[in-house]
Amino acid sequence: MTHTARRIGRTLALVLPVVLVLSGTLAVTRVNWAGTSDSQLLTASSEDVSVRAKPRTPQDVLRDALLVELQEKDPGTALTHLQREVERRPSLAQHCMSIARALGRAAVEQYGPVKAQSYSRPVCDTSFASGVAQES
């Protein structure tokens, strides 16, 4: 009897932690962490891991840098640097208007429409002013 009890105890000692870990893992994957009513489950996949982030385009890098500069300094400084970059790298000219509009929208968020409009200048065919007007 003692031998059988020991064998059952050892089996439980090995199996029980595995069962607890698996049931806990399954329970965590079923919890609605996002708090939405959607019952869709998100699971990790080896396919997702191998997907590389797309390289950032020069216009995206420039726009993000100018948006930071707008927040740290002012829209006028960001617009001046936009104009200089377009003159330095003409390939950015086709993106100048969209970058200037993004700066205009960000300026409204930070300074309000009246003050943001005061920074307006003829960079990229008044696209900055267009961005300000869109947010106003």
Side-chain angles (χ1 to χ4, degrees):
M1 184 97 149
T2 310
H3 178 65
T4 306
R6 262 193 200 148
R7 198 170 73 192
I8 291 172
R10 285 183 186 163
T11 303
L12 282 175
L14 291 172
V15 173
L16 190 59
V18 173
V19 170
L20 290 174
V21 167
L22 288 176
S23 65
T25 302
L26 292 174
V28 168
T29 61
R30 298 267 181 206
V31 172
N32 185 2
W33 295 105
T36 60
S37 61
D38 193 309
S39 62
Q40 181 181 6
L41 296 177
L42 301 176
T43 58
S45 168
S46 62
E47 295 171 8
D48 296 337
V49 174
S50 64
V51 174
R52 292 179 185 240
K54 291 182 181 178
R56 298 192 43 178
T57 61
Q59 63 268 18
D60 290 341
V61 172
L62 176 61
R63 182 193 63 240
D64 292 348
L66 292 173
L67 287 169
V68 168
E69 187 171 45
L70 181 142
Q71 292 175 351
E72 291 176 353
K73 295 180 182 174
D74 62 71
T77 304
L79 285 170
T80 299
H81 288 149
L82 172 60
Q83 186 67 42
R84 286 184 187 153
E85 281 299 309
V86 169
E87 289 169 359
R88 191 172 71 82
R89 296 188 334 198
S91 63
L92 292 171
Q94 64 184 343
H95 305 287
C96 185
M97 292 191 318
S98 66
I99 294 170
R101 272 193 301 274
L103 292 173
R105 290 189 297 268
V108 169
E109 288 178 19
Q110 184 161 347
Y111 297 100
V114 174
K115 187 167 182 183
Q117 189 63 39
S118 71
Y119 288 102
S120 189
R121 60 178 72 166
V123 175
C124 308
D125 299 327
T126 66
S127 294
F128 178 82
S130 172
V132 169
Q134 285 176 349
E135 287 299 303
S136 299

